[in-house]
Amino acid sequence: MESKIINMAERLKDREDLRLEAMFQSAPIADDGFSNRVVSRIRRQIWVRRLTLPTAFVIGAAFAVRPLAQLVETVSGLLKFIPQTVAGNIGTLPVTGLPQLPVLVLGSALLVAALLFGKLAQK
């Protein structure tokens, strides 16, 4: 079922509507391929932007491999200094002092709200 309101609005045309229709029904302007060049340049820029972030990630990861290996080696060396009484009883540490899920969710929501409010206040 078609709406009669839309059909009535399409049938009723005033002078401005008729002038706009006449203007947009004219033949397209020859641009000697300008539009195609613009579209191809925009598509190329889109692909460059799509490939830039993964490429930068791979290059950054390549630079970070050596310092990351040094960090792992340092942390493993520091783990030797933890007493065995603490390291052996990690599973029996009290968890009653840790915050519960509703507190974490509320805190996260308040943090997000504060960040959004701060962002809006800057504009």
Side-chain angles (χ1 to χ4, degrees):
M1 180 176 177
E2 293 183 20
S3 174
K4 294 180 181 180
I5 296 173
I6 294 174
N7 291 335
M8 290 297 292
E10 289 177 356
R11 290 182 188 161
L12 296 175
K13 296 180 182 178
D14 57 357
R15 185 177 52 175
E16 287 83 17
D17 289 334
L18 295 174
R19 291 178 74 189
L20 281 172
E21 277 186 4
M23 186 171 45
F24 288 122
Q25 286 181 353
S26 63
I29 299 171
D31 62 355
D32 295 328
F34 175 75
S35 299
N36 292 333
R37 288 193 306 265
V38 169
V39 169
S40 68
R41 183 175 288 175
I42 289 173
R43 285 186 179 151
R44 188 177 321 118
Q45 288 176 354
I46 288 172
W47 274 106
V48 167
R49 287 183 183 169
R50 283 182 184 169
L51 294 177
T52 301
L53 183 61
T55 305
F57 181 77
V58 168
I59 292 171
F63 281 115
V65 168
R66 186 172 176 190
L68 186 61
Q70 291 174 350
L71 179 67
V72 168
E73 182 180 331
T74 304
V75 169
S76 66
L78 290 175
L79 288 178
K80 294 177 188 175
F81 297 112
I82 296 177
Q84 289 296 328
T85 57
V86 175
N89 297 330
I90 287 181
T92 60
L93 290 175
V95 291
T96 56
L98 296 176
Q100 295 180 355
L101 183 63
V103 175
L104 292 175
V105 170
L106 180 63
S108 301
L110 288 174
L111 178 65
V112 169
L115 290 174
L116 288 175
F117 181 73
K119 188 90 167 172
L120 291 175
Q122 288 179 355
K123 292 182 179 184

